[in-house]
PDB file of all heavy atoms in Angstrom:
ATOM      1  N   SER A   9     -52.211   5.356   5.865  1.00  0.00           N
ATOM      2  CA  SER A   9     -51.446   5.128   4.637  1.00  0.00           C
ATOM      3  C   SER A   9     -50.298   6.120   4.485  1.00  0.00           C
ATOM      4  O   SER A   9     -49.238   5.775   3.956  1.00  0.00           O
ATOM      5  CB  SER A   9     -52.372   5.176   3.422  1.00  0.00           C
ATOM      6  OG  SER A   9     -53.042   6.415   3.369  1.00  0.00           O
ATOM      7  N   GLY A  10     -50.473   7.347   4.948  1.00  0.00           N
ATOM      8  CA  GLY A  10     -49.395   8.333   4.883  1.00  0.00           C
ATOM      9  C   GLY A  10     -48.199   7.917   5.732  1.00  0.00           C
ATOM     10  O   GLY A  10     -47.044   8.133   5.360  1.00  0.00           O
ATOM     11  N   VAL A  11     -48.474   7.320   6.876  1.00  0.00           N
ATOM     12  CA  VAL A  11     -47.399   6.820   7.736  1.00  0.00           C
ATOM     13  C   VAL A  11     -46.667   5.683   7.027  1.00  0.00           C
ATOM     14  O   VAL A  11     -45.430   5.645   6.993  1.00  0.00           O
ATOM     15  CB  VAL A  11     -47.953   6.362   9.108  1.00  0.00           C
ATOM     16  CG1 VAL A  11     -46.887   5.650   9.923  1.00  0.00           C
ATOM     17  CG2 VAL A  11     -48.530   7.546   9.874  1.00  0.00           C
ATOM     18  N   THR A  12     -47.434   4.771   6.446  1.00  0.00           N
ATOM     19  CA  THR A  12     -46.821   3.650   5.727  1.00  0.00           C
ATOM     20  C   THR A  12     -45.942   4.166   4.590  1.00  0.00           C
ATOM     21  O   THR A  12     -44.790   3.732   4.431  1.00  0.00           O
ATOM     22  CB  THR A  12     -47.903   2.698   5.192  1.00  0.00           C
ATOM     23  OG1 THR A  12     -48.673   2.212   6.291  1.00  0.00           O
ATOM     24  CG2 THR A  12     -47.288   1.534   4.450  1.00  0.00           C
ATOM     25  N   LEU A  13     -46.444   5.096   3.795  1.00  0.00           N
ATOM     26  CA  LEU A  13     -45.674   5.652   2.688  1.00  0.00           C
ATOM     27  C   LEU A  13     -44.376   6.277   3.191  1.00  0.00           C
ATOM     28  O   LEU A  13     -43.295   6.044   2.629  1.00  0.00           O
ATOM     29  CB  LEU A  13     -46.500   6.688   1.921  1.00  0.00           C
ATOM     30  CG  LEU A  13     -45.765   7.447   0.810  1.00  0.00           C
ATOM     31  CD1 LEU A  13     -45.248   6.509  -0.264  1.00  0.00           C
ATOM     32  CD2 LEU A  13     -46.679   8.507   0.213  1.00  0.00           C
ATOM     33  N   ASN A  14     -44.456   7.060   4.247  1.00  0.00           N
ATOM     34  CA  ASN A  14     -43.257   7.724   4.762  1.00  0.00           C
ATOM     35  C   ASN A  14     -42.255   6.742   5.350  1.00  0.00           C
ATOM     36  O   ASN A  14     -41.041   6.902   5.163  1.00  0.00           O
ATOM     37  CB  ASN A  14     -43.634   8.796   5.780  1.00  0.00           C
ATOM     38  CG  ASN A  14     -44.090  10.056   5.083  1.00  0.00           C
ATOM     39  OD1 ASN A  14     -43.306  10.692   4.396  1.00  0.00           O
ATOM     40  ND2 ASN A  14     -45.352  10.401   5.236  1.00  0.00           N
ATOM     41  N   LEU A  15     -42.719   5.724   6.039  1.00  0.00           N
ATOM     42  CA  LEU A  15     -41.798   4.725   6.575  1.00  0.00           C
ATOM     43  C   LEU A  15     -41.066   3.996   5.450  1.00  0.00           C
ATOM     44  O   LEU A  15     -39.846   3.826   5.484  1.00  0.00           O
ATOM     45  CB  LEU A  15     -42.532   3.711   7.452  1.00  0.00           C
ATOM     46  CG  LEU A  15     -43.024   4.212   8.802  1.00  0.00           C
ATOM     47  CD1 LEU A  15     -43.859   3.136   9.485  1.00  0.00           C
ATOM     48  CD2 LEU A  15     -41.861   4.633   9.684  1.00  0.00           C
ATOM     49  N   VAL A  16     -41.823   3.561   4.439  1.00  0.00           N
ATOM     50  CA  VAL A  16     -41.217   2.806   3.339  1.00  0.00           C
ATOM     51  C   VAL A  16     -40.278   3.702   2.529  1.00  0.00           C
ATOM     52  O   VAL A  16     -39.156   3.305   2.206  1.00  0.00           O
ATOM     53  CB  VAL A  16     -42.291   2.146   2.462  1.00  0.00           C
ATOM     54  CG1 VAL A  16     -41.674   1.527   1.212  1.00  0.00           C
ATOM     55  CG2 VAL A  16     -43.054   1.099   3.263  1.00  0.00           C
ATOM     56  N   ALA A  17     -40.708   4.905   2.196  1.00  0.00           N
ATOM     57  CA  ALA A  17     -39.833   5.822   1.455  1.00  0.00           C
ATOM     58  C   ALA A  17     -38.562   6.090   2.254  1.00  0.00           C
ATOM     59  O   ALA A  17     -37.459   6.102   1.697  1.00  0.00           O
ATOM     60  CB  ALA A  17     -40.570   7.121   1.134  1.00  0.00           C
ATOM     61  N   GLY A  18     -38.701   6.263   3.552  1.00  0.00           N
ATOM     62  CA  GLY A  18     -37.538   6.490   4.399  1.00  0.00           C
ATOM     63  C   GLY A  18     -36.566   5.326   4.396  1.00  0.00           C
ATOM     64  O   GLY A  18     -35.345   5.521   4.467  1.00  0.00           O
ATOM     65  N   MET A  19     -37.081   4.113   4.286  1.00  0.00           N
ATOM     66  CA  MET A  19     -36.220   2.933   4.254  1.00  0.00           C
ATOM     67  C   MET A  19     -35.313   2.927   3.022  1.00  0.00           C
ATOM     68  O   MET A  19     -34.262   2.288   3.026  1.00  0.00           O
ATOM     69  CB  MET A  19     -37.068   1.660   4.262  1.00  0.00           C
ATOM     70  CG  MET A  19     -37.800   1.429   5.564  1.00  0.00           C
ATOM     71  SD  MET A  19     -39.015   0.096   5.440  1.00  0.00           S
ATOM     72  CE  MET A  19     -37.946  -1.312   5.168  1.00  0.00           C
ATOM     73  N   THR A  20     -35.701   3.624   1.971  1.00  0.00           N
ATOM     74  CA  THR A  20     -34.950   3.606   0.713  1.00  0.00           C
ATOM     75  C   THR A  20     -33.859   4.665   0.641  1.00  0.00           C
ATOM     76  O   THR A  20     -32.967   4.581  -0.204  1.00  0.00           O
ATOM     77  CB  THR A  20     -35.889   3.803  -0.493  1.00  0.00           C
ATOM     78  OG1 THR A  20     -36.339   5.166  -0.533  1.00  0.00           O
ATOM     79  CG2 THR A  20     -37.069   2.852  -0.459  1.00  0.00           C
ATOM     80  N   VAL A  21     -33.915   5.655   1.500  1.00  0.00           N
ATOM     81  CA  VAL A  21     -33.047   6.823   1.376  1.00  0.00           C
ATOM     82  C   VAL A  21     -31.571   6.474   1.469  1.00  0.00           C
ATOM     83  O   VAL A  21     -30.764   6.948   0.671  1.00  0.00           O
ATOM     84  CB  VAL A  21     -33.415   7.894   2.432  1.00  0.00           C
ATOM     85  CG1 VAL A  21     -32.368   8.989   2.512  1.00  0.00           C
ATOM     86  CG2 VAL A  21     -34.785   8.479   2.115  1.00  0.00           C
ATOM     87  N   ARG A  22     -31.185   5.668   2.418  1.00  0.00           N
ATOM     88  CA  ARG A  22     -29.773   5.380   2.641  1.00  0.00           C
ATOM     89  C   ARG A  22     -29.079   4.918   1.360  1.00  0.00           C
ATOM     90  O   ARG A  22     -27.964   5.333   1.068  1.00  0.00           O
ATOM     91  CB  ARG A  22     -29.608   4.340   3.726  1.00  0.00           C
ATOM     92  CG  ARG A  22     -28.177   3.991   3.964  1.00  0.00           C
ATOM     93  CD  ARG A  22     -27.998   3.297   5.288  1.00  0.00           C
ATOM     94  NE  ARG A  22     -26.617   3.314   5.652  1.00  0.00           N
ATOM     95  CZ  ARG A  22     -25.939   4.364   6.082  1.00  0.00           C
ATOM     96  NH1 ARG A  22     -26.546   5.514   6.237  1.00  0.00           N
ATOM     97  NH2 ARG A  22     -24.670   4.293   6.362  1.00  0.00           N
ATOM     98  N   SER A  23     -29.752   4.094   0.576  1.00  0.00           N
ATOM     99  CA  SER A  23     -29.092   3.577  -0.627  1.00  0.00           C
ATOM    100  C   SER A  23     -29.410   4.373  -1.882  1.00  0.00           C
ATOM    101  O   SER A  23     -28.499   4.786  -2.598  1.00  0.00           O
ATOM    102  CB  SER A  23     -29.425   2.103  -0.840  1.00  0.00           C
ATOM    103  OG  SER A  23     -30.809   1.902  -0.884  1.00  0.00           O
ATOM    104  N   ILE A  24     -30.681   4.621  -2.169  1.00  0.00           N
ATOM    105  CA  ILE A  24     -30.973   5.197  -3.485  1.00  0.00           C
ATOM    106  C   ILE A  24     -30.952   6.712  -3.532  1.00  0.00           C
ATOM    107  O   ILE A  24     -30.697   7.286  -4.584  1.00  0.00           O
ATOM    108  CB  ILE A  24     -32.307   4.693  -4.085  1.00  0.00           C
ATOM    109  CG1 ILE A  24     -33.496   5.158  -3.277  1.00  0.00           C
ATOM    110  CG2 ILE A  24     -32.294   3.213  -4.275  1.00  0.00           C
ATOM    111  CD1 ILE A  24     -34.798   5.025  -4.018  1.00  0.00           C
ATOM    112  N   SER A  25     -31.228   7.366  -2.442  1.00  0.00           N
ATOM    113  CA  SER A  25     -31.357   8.823  -2.566  1.00  0.00           C
ATOM    114  C   SER A  25     -30.687   9.585  -1.429  1.00  0.00           C
ATOM    115  O   SER A  25     -31.075  10.699  -1.126  1.00  0.00           O
ATOM    116  CB  SER A  25     -32.833   9.207  -2.673  1.00  0.00           C
ATOM    117  OG  SER A  25     -33.538   8.789  -1.523  1.00  0.00           O
ATOM    118  N   GLY A  26     -29.654   9.011  -0.855  1.00  0.00           N
ATOM    119  CA  GLY A  26     -28.937   9.702   0.210  1.00  0.00           C
ATOM    120  C   GLY A  26     -28.325  11.014  -0.234  1.00  0.00           C
ATOM    121  O   GLY A  26     -28.116  11.913   0.561  1.00  0.00           O
ATOM    122  N   LEU A  27     -28.038  11.150  -1.523  1.00  0.00           N
ATOM    123  CA  LEU A  27     -27.446  12.380  -2.055  1.00  0.00           C
ATOM    124  C   LEU A  27     -28.446  13.224  -2.832  1.00  0.00           C
ATOM    125  O   LEU A  27     -28.061  14.162  -3.529  1.00  0.00           O
ATOM    126  CB  LEU A  27     -26.268  12.026  -2.979  1.00  0.00           C
ATOM    127  CG  LEU A  27     -25.093  11.323  -2.308  1.00  0.00           C
ATOM    128  CD1 LEU A  27     -24.046  10.948  -3.345  1.00  0.00           C
ATOM    129  CD2 LEU A  27     -24.496  12.179  -1.215  1.00  0.00           C
ATOM    130  N   THR A  28     -29.719  12.920  -2.709  1.00  0.00           N
ATOM    131  CA  THR A  28     -30.740  13.618  -3.484  1.00  0.00           C
ATOM    132  C   THR A  28     -30.674  15.125  -3.284  1.00  0.00           C
ATOM    133  O   THR A  28     -30.547  15.617  -2.171  1.00  0.00           O
ATOM    134  CB  THR A  28     -32.140  13.107  -3.090  1.00  0.00           C
ATOM    135  OG1 THR A  28     -32.226  11.753  -3.487  1.00  0.00           O
ATOM    136  CG2 THR A  28     -33.240  13.892  -3.746  1.00  0.00           C
ATOM    137  N   THR A  29     -30.797  15.836  -4.395  1.00  0.00           N
ATOM    138  CA  THR A  29     -30.878  17.290  -4.380  1.00  0.00           C
ATOM    139  C   THR A  29     -32.322  17.738  -4.197  1.00  0.00           C
ATOM    140  O   THR A  29     -32.592  18.729  -3.541  1.00  0.00           O
ATOM    141  CB  THR A  29     -30.333  17.858  -5.711  1.00  0.00           C
ATOM    142  OG1 THR A  29     -29.041  17.305  -5.936  1.00  0.00           O
ATOM    143  CG2 THR A  29     -30.235  19.352  -5.677  1.00  0.00           C
ATOM    144  N   ALA A  30     -33.259  16.978  -4.786  1.00  0.00           N
ATOM    145  CA  ALA A  30     -34.677  17.313  -4.677  1.00  0.00           C
ATOM    146  C   ALA A  30     -35.522  16.123  -5.116  1.00  0.00           C
ATOM    147  O   ALA A  30     -35.155  15.407  -6.048  1.00  0.00           O
ATOM    148  CB  ALA A  30     -35.017  18.515  -5.549  1.00  0.00           C
ATOM    149  N   ASN A  31     -36.630  15.917  -4.438  1.00  0.00           N
ATOM    150  CA  ASN A  31     -37.643  14.979  -4.924  1.00  0.00           C
ATOM    151  C   ASN A  31     -38.483  15.725  -5.945  1.00  0.00           C
ATOM    152  O   ASN A  31     -38.847  16.887  -5.742  1.00  0.00           O
ATOM    153  CB  ASN A  31     -38.537  14.498  -3.781  1.00  0.00           C
ATOM    154  CG  ASN A  31     -37.931  13.327  -3.056  1.00  0.00           C
ATOM    155  OD1 ASN A  31     -37.468  12.379  -3.673  1.00  0.00           O
ATOM    156  ND2 ASN A  31     -37.924  13.402  -1.743  1.00  0.00           N
ATOM    157  N   LEU A  32     -38.796  15.070  -7.045  1.00  0.00           N
ATOM    158  CA  LEU A  32     -39.589  15.694  -8.095  1.00  0.00           C
ATOM    159  C   LEU A  32     -41.014  15.164  -8.141  1.00  0.00           C
ATOM    160  O   LEU A  32     -41.936  15.896  -8.489  1.00  0.00           O
ATOM    161  CB  LEU A  32     -38.915  15.489  -9.459  1.00  0.00           C
ATOM    162  CG  LEU A  32     -37.502  16.038  -9.578  1.00  0.00           C
ATOM    163  CD1 LEU A  32     -36.910  15.689 -10.931  1.00  0.00           C
ATOM    164  CD2 LEU A  32     -37.482  17.534  -9.324  1.00  0.00           C
ATOM    165  N   ALA A  33     -41.185  13.875  -7.823  1.00  0.00           N
ATOM    166  CA  ALA A  33     -42.531  13.303  -7.904  1.00  0.00           C
ATOM    167  C   ALA A  33     -42.600  11.994  -7.130  1.00  0.00           C
ATOM    168  O   ALA A  33     -41.617  11.262  -7.043  1.00  0.00           O
ATOM    169  CB  ALA A  33     -42.914  13.046  -9.357  1.00  0.00           C
ATOM    170  N   VAL A  34     -43.766  11.744  -6.584  1.00  0.00           N
ATOM    171  CA  VAL A  34     -44.146  10.427  -6.076  1.00  0.00           C
ATOM    172  C   VAL A  34     -45.447  10.110  -6.795  1.00  0.00           C
ATOM    173  O   VAL A  34     -46.429  10.837  -6.664  1.00  0.00           O
ATOM    174  CB  VAL A  34     -44.338  10.420  -4.547  1.00  0.00           C
ATOM    175  CG1 VAL A  34     -44.807   9.056  -4.071  1.00  0.00           C
ATOM    176  CG2 VAL A  34     -43.042  10.805  -3.842  1.00  0.00           C
ATOM    177  N   ASP A  35     -45.408   9.043  -7.609  1.00  0.00           N
ATOM    178  CA  ASP A  35     -46.529   8.721  -8.484  1.00  0.00           C
ATOM    179  C   ASP A  35     -46.984   7.288  -8.291  1.00  0.00           C
ATOM    180  O   ASP A  35     -46.248   6.458  -7.761  1.00  0.00           O
ATOM    181  CB  ASP A  35     -46.115   8.876  -9.963  1.00  0.00           C
ATOM    182  CG  ASP A  35     -45.748  10.293 -10.331  1.00  0.00           C
ATOM    183  OD1 ASP A  35     -46.560  11.194 -10.076  1.00  0.00           O
ATOM    184  OD2 ASP A  35     -44.646  10.486 -10.869  1.00  0.00           O
ATOM    185  N   GLN A  36     -48.165   7.026  -8.800  1.00  0.00           N
ATOM    186  CA  GLN A  36     -48.710   5.665  -8.852  1.00  0.00           C
ATOM    187  C   GLN A  36     -48.626   4.955  -7.496  1.00  0.00           C
ATOM    188  O   GLN A  36     -48.246   3.784  -7.413  1.00  0.00           O
ATOM    189  CB  GLN A  36     -48.027   4.855  -9.955  1.00  0.00           C
ATOM    190  CG  GLN A  36     -48.227   5.468 -11.314  1.00  0.00           C
ATOM    191  CD  GLN A  36     -47.468   4.750 -12.411  1.00  0.00           C
ATOM    192  OE1 GLN A  36     -46.741   3.803 -12.181  1.00  0.00           O
ATOM    193  NE2 GLN A  36     -47.658   5.216 -13.635  1.00  0.00           N
ATOM    194  N   VAL A  37     -48.983   5.671  -6.450  1.00  0.00           N
ATOM    195  CA  VAL A  37     -48.976   5.095  -5.104  1.00  0.00           C
ATOM    196  C   VAL A  37     -50.167   4.152  -4.974  1.00  0.00           C
ATOM    197  O   VAL A  37     -51.302   4.529  -5.284  1.00  0.00           O
ATOM    198  CB  VAL A  37     -49.050   6.197  -4.029  1.00  0.00           C
ATOM    199  CG1 VAL A  37     -49.080   5.594  -2.638  1.00  0.00           C
ATOM    200  CG2 VAL A  37     -47.900   7.181  -4.185  1.00  0.00           C
ATOM    201  N   ARG A  38     -49.892   2.932  -4.544  1.00  0.00           N
ATOM    202  CA  ARG A  38     -50.938   1.921  -4.354  1.00  0.00           C
ATOM    203  C   ARG A  38     -50.753   1.267  -2.997  1.00  0.00           C
ATOM    204  O   ARG A  38     -49.657   0.825  -2.659  1.00  0.00           O
ATOM    205  CB  ARG A  38     -50.874   0.837  -5.440  1.00  0.00           C
ATOM    206  CG  ARG A  38     -51.047   1.339  -6.854  1.00  0.00           C
ATOM    207  CD  ARG A  38     -52.480   1.812  -7.102  1.00  0.00           C
ATOM    208  NE  ARG A  38     -52.669   2.300  -8.447  1.00  0.00           N
ATOM    209  CZ  ARG A  38     -52.591   3.578  -8.792  1.00  0.00           C
ATOM    210  NH1 ARG A  38     -52.299   4.488  -7.904  1.00  0.00           N
ATOM    211  NH2 ARG A  38     -52.810   3.952 -10.035  1.00  0.00           N
ATOM    212  N   PHE A  39     -51.831   1.198  -2.241  1.00  0.00           N
ATOM    213  CA  PHE A  39     -51.832   0.486  -0.964  1.00  0.00           C
ATOM    214  C   PHE A  39     -52.580  -0.815  -1.194  1.00  0.00           C
ATOM    215  O   PHE A  39     -53.768  -0.804  -1.499  1.00  0.00           O
ATOM    216  CB  PHE A  39     -52.484   1.343   0.124  1.00  0.00           C
ATOM    217  CG  PHE A  39     -51.742   2.641   0.326  1.00  0.00           C
ATOM    218  CD1 PHE A  39     -52.189   3.815  -0.256  1.00  0.00           C
ATOM    219  CD2 PHE A  39     -50.580   2.668   1.077  1.00  0.00           C
ATOM    220  CE1 PHE A  39     -51.492   4.997  -0.094  1.00  0.00           C
ATOM    221  CE2 PHE A  39     -49.871   3.852   1.248  1.00  0.00           C
ATOM    222  CZ  PHE A  39     -50.330   5.022   0.655  1.00  0.00           C
ATOM    223  N   THR A  40     -51.885  -1.931  -1.082  1.00  0.00           N
ATOM    224  CA  THR A  40     -52.433  -3.208  -1.529  1.00  0.00           C
ATOM    225  C   THR A  40     -52.857  -4.136  -0.397  1.00  0.00           C
ATOM    226  O   THR A  40     -53.512  -5.146  -0.661  1.00  0.00           O
ATOM    227  CB  THR A  40     -51.409  -3.919  -2.430  1.00  0.00           C
ATOM    228  OG1 THR A  40     -50.158  -3.992  -1.733  1.00  0.00           O
ATOM    229  CG2 THR A  40     -51.204  -3.141  -3.725  1.00  0.00           C
ATOM    230  N   ALA A  41     -52.497  -3.819   0.825  1.00  0.00           N
ATOM    231  CA  ALA A  41     -52.917  -4.608   1.985  1.00  0.00           C
ATOM    232  C   ALA A  41     -52.785  -3.735   3.223  1.00  0.00           C
ATOM    233  O   ALA A  41     -51.983  -2.798   3.252  1.00  0.00           O
ATOM    234  CB  ALA A  41     -52.061  -5.874   2.119  1.00  0.00           C
ATOM    235  N   PRO A  42     -53.569  -4.035   4.257  1.00  0.00           N
ATOM    236  CA  PRO A  42     -53.488  -3.229   5.473  1.00  0.00           C
ATOM    237  C   PRO A  42     -52.166  -3.424   6.202  1.00  0.00           C
ATOM    238  O   PRO A  42     -51.533  -4.471   6.103  1.00  0.00           O
ATOM    239  CB  PRO A  42     -54.655  -3.757   6.315  1.00  0.00           C
ATOM    240  CG  PRO A  42     -54.864  -5.145   5.828  1.00  0.00           C
ATOM    241  CD  PRO A  42     -54.523  -5.132   4.376  1.00  0.00           C
ATOM    242  N   VAL A  43     -51.771  -2.388   6.926  1.00  0.00           N
ATOM    243  CA  VAL A  43     -50.593  -2.441   7.792  1.00  0.00           C
ATOM    244  C   VAL A  43     -51.065  -2.137   9.204  1.00  0.00           C
ATOM    245  O   VAL A  43     -51.844  -1.206   9.420  1.00  0.00           O
ATOM    246  CB  VAL A  43     -49.510  -1.437   7.345  1.00  0.00           C
ATOM    247  CG1 VAL A  43     -48.343  -1.408   8.329  1.00  0.00           C
ATOM    248  CG2 VAL A  43     -49.025  -1.775   5.939  1.00  0.00           C
ATOM    249  N   HIS A  44     -50.593  -2.942  10.147  1.00  0.00           N
ATOM    250  CA  HIS A  44     -51.009  -2.816  11.544  1.00  0.00           C
ATOM    251  C   HIS A  44     -49.796  -2.671  12.453  1.00  0.00           C
ATOM    252  O   HIS A  44     -48.671  -3.020  12.068  1.00  0.00           O
ATOM    253  CB  HIS A  44     -51.810  -4.051  11.966  1.00  0.00           C
ATOM    254  CG  HIS A  44     -53.034  -4.281  11.157  1.00  0.00           C
ATOM    255  ND1 HIS A  44     -54.182  -3.539  11.303  1.00  0.00           N
ATOM    256  CD2 HIS A  44     -53.295  -5.168  10.168  1.00  0.00           C
ATOM    257  CE1 HIS A  44     -55.099  -3.963  10.449  1.00  0.00           C
ATOM    258  NE2 HIS A  44     -54.582  -4.951   9.738  1.00  0.00           N
ATOM    259  N   ILE A  45     -50.043  -2.190  13.657  1.00  0.00           N
ATOM    260  CA  ILE A  45     -48.994  -2.111  14.666  1.00  0.00           C
ATOM    261  C   ILE A  45     -48.399  -3.509  14.842  1.00  0.00           C
ATOM    262  O   ILE A  45     -49.123  -4.495  14.949  1.00  0.00           O
ATOM    263  CB  ILE A  45     -49.566  -1.578  15.997  1.00  0.00           C
ATOM    264  CG1 ILE A  45     -50.023  -0.119  15.821  1.00  0.00           C
ATOM    265  CG2 ILE A  45     -48.541  -1.707  17.137  1.00  0.00           C
ATOM    266  CD1 ILE A  45     -50.876   0.418  16.947  1.00  0.00           C
ATOM    267  N   GLY A  46     -47.069  -3.573  14.831  1.00  0.00           N
ATOM    268  CA  GLY A  46     -46.371  -4.847  14.986  1.00  0.00           C
ATOM    269  C   GLY A  46     -45.958  -5.481  13.667  1.00  0.00           C
ATOM    270  O   GLY A  46     -45.137  -6.412  13.668  1.00  0.00           O
ATOM    271  N   ASP A  47     -46.494  -5.016  12.543  1.00  0.00           N
ATOM    272  CA  ASP A  47     -46.055  -5.538  11.243  1.00  0.00           C
ATOM    273  C   ASP A  47     -44.634  -5.055  10.971  1.00  0.00           C
ATOM    274  O   ASP A  47     -44.268  -3.932  11.321  1.00  0.00           O
ATOM    275  CB  ASP A  47     -46.959  -5.049  10.112  1.00  0.00           C
ATOM    276  CG  ASP A  47     -48.283  -5.795  10.032  1.00  0.00           C
ATOM    277  OD1 ASP A  47     -48.439  -6.821  10.717  1.00  0.00           O
ATOM    278  OD2 ASP A  47     -49.155  -5.339   9.272  1.00  0.00           O
ATOM    279  N   THR A  48     -43.847  -5.899  10.333  1.00  0.00           N
ATOM    280  CA  THR A  48     -42.505  -5.512   9.905  1.00  0.00           C
ATOM    281  C   THR A  48     -42.514  -5.376   8.392  1.00  0.00           C
ATOM    282  O   THR A  48     -42.962  -6.283   7.687  1.00  0.00           O
ATOM    283  CB  THR A  48     -41.454  -6.540  10.349  1.00  0.00           C
ATOM    284  OG1 THR A  48     -41.467  -6.615  11.789  1.00  0.00           O
ATOM    285  CG2 THR A  48     -40.060  -6.142   9.881  1.00  0.00           C
ATOM    286  N   LEU A  49     -42.036  -4.233   7.923  1.00  0.00           N
ATOM    287  CA  LEU A  49     -42.036  -3.930   6.499  1.00  0.00           C
ATOM    288  C   LEU A  49     -40.633  -4.102   5.914  1.00  0.00           C
ATOM    289  O   LEU A  49     -39.634  -3.772   6.568  1.00  0.00           O
ATOM    290  CB  LEU A  49     -42.513  -2.497   6.266  1.00  0.00           C
ATOM    291  CG  LEU A  49     -43.885  -2.162   6.834  1.00  0.00           C
ATOM    292  CD1 LEU A  49     -44.220  -0.691   6.593  1.00  0.00           C
ATOM    293  CD2 LEU A  49     -44.953  -3.064   6.257  1.00  0.00           C
ATOM    294  N   TYR A  50     -40.587  -4.613   4.694  1.00  0.00           N
ATOM    295  CA  TYR A  50     -39.349  -4.760   3.932  1.00  0.00           C
ATOM    296  C   TYR A  50     -39.588  -4.116   2.575  1.00  0.00           C
ATOM    297  O   TYR A  50     -40.644  -4.289   1.984  1.00  0.00           O
ATOM    298  CB  TYR A  50     -38.985  -6.236   3.753  1.00  0.00           C
ATOM    299  CG  TYR A  50     -38.726  -6.920   5.067  1.00  0.00           C
ATOM    300  CD1 TYR A  50     -39.755  -7.582   5.741  1.00  0.00           C
ATOM    301  CD2 TYR A  50     -37.468  -6.878   5.649  1.00  0.00           C
ATOM    302  CE1 TYR A  50     -39.520  -8.193   6.963  1.00  0.00           C
ATOM    303  CE2 TYR A  50     -37.229  -7.496   6.871  1.00  0.00           C
ATOM    304  CZ  TYR A  50     -38.262  -8.149   7.523  1.00  0.00           C
ATOM    305  OH  TYR A  50     -38.033  -8.746   8.730  1.00  0.00           O
ATOM    306  N   ALA A  51     -38.602  -3.368   2.093  1.00  0.00           N
ATOM    307  CA  ALA A  51     -38.771  -2.654   0.830  1.00  0.00           C
ATOM    308  C   ALA A  51     -37.714  -3.073  -0.173  1.00  0.00           C
ATOM    309  O   ALA A  51     -36.606  -3.476   0.199  1.00  0.00           O
ATOM    310  CB  ALA A  51     -38.679  -1.148   1.063  1.00  0.00           C
TER     311      ALA A  51
END
């Protein structure tokens, strides 16, 4: 799940937080289905 979280969060950086000064919080993290090798994720 940590890998999934980091991959998905990383996908968002280019648009929403490319200029971020600091992350303050990651909250309400929910894993709702399994992720396997070969799955393609969209955020």
Side-chain angles (χ1 to χ4, degrees):
S9 58
V11 171
T12 301
L13 175 61
N14 280 295
L15 289 174
V16 172
M19 292 170 66
T20 72
V21 169
R22 179 163 196 74
S23 55
I24 66 164
S25 60
L27 297 176
T28 294
T29 308
N31 275 313
L32 301 176
V34 177
D35 296 307
Q36 300 175 358
V37 178
R38 300 290 180 265
F39 300 99
T40 53
V43 175
H44 301 284
I45 294 167
D47 282 350
T48 299
L49 304 177
Y50 298 92

